[in-house]
């Protein structure tokens, strides 16, 4: 596991330390959990985009010829 150094406003750090203490955690633990969740979310989103492209390419559904115009769609 790598260590990182962050610069944080003193008031923000004090507030986060209180929050961490109230939730039986540490600032380090909160940051680590946040970054892990962020990375996991991005990984899931990336896999979902790949799967969506794959499904789109495998799909047998086809769009028909466009028979309308933008003006017709917004005709009042």
């Amino acid at each position: 596991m790598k260590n990182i150094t962050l610069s944080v406003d003193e008031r923000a750090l004090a507030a986060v330390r209180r929050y961490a203490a109230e939730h039986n955690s540490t600032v380090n633990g909160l940051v680590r959990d946040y970054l892990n969740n962020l990375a996991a979310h991005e990984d899931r989103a990336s896999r979902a985009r790949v799967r969506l492209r794959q499904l789109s390419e495998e799909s047998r559904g086809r769009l028909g010829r466009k028979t309308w115009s933008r003006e017709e769609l917004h005709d009042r």
Side-chain angles (χ1 to χ4, degrees):
M1 195 175 292
K2 295 282 186 177
N3 288 324
I4 62 172
T5 302
L6 300 172
S7 296
V8 180
D9 178 76
E10 290 179 27
R11 288 182 188 171
L13 181 57
V16 172
R17 282 182 172 153
R18 281 191 300 275
Y19 178 90
E22 291 169 0
H23 291 86
N24 298 318
S25 187
T26 62
V27 172
N28 187 62
L30 293 173
V31 172
R32 183 181 52 243
D33 290 347
Y34 174 77
L35 293 176
N36 284 334
N37 288 336
L38 179 63
H41 173 77
E42 285 301 309
D43 186 46
R44 283 192 309 269
S46 177
R47 286 193 318 260
R49 284 189 295 272
V50 167
R51 181 68 176 137
L52 185 58
R53 274 189 231 106
Q54 181 184 38
L55 290 171
S56 176
E57 290 168 3
E58 294 172 1
S59 174
R60 292 184 179 194
R62 298 291 174 250
L63 295 176
R65 199 173 128 259
K66 181 178 99 170
T67 60
W68 44 265
S69 69
R70 183 177 189 277
E71 291 75 27
E72 289 173 332
L73 288 177
H74 297 283
D75 191 24
R76 294 182 191 232

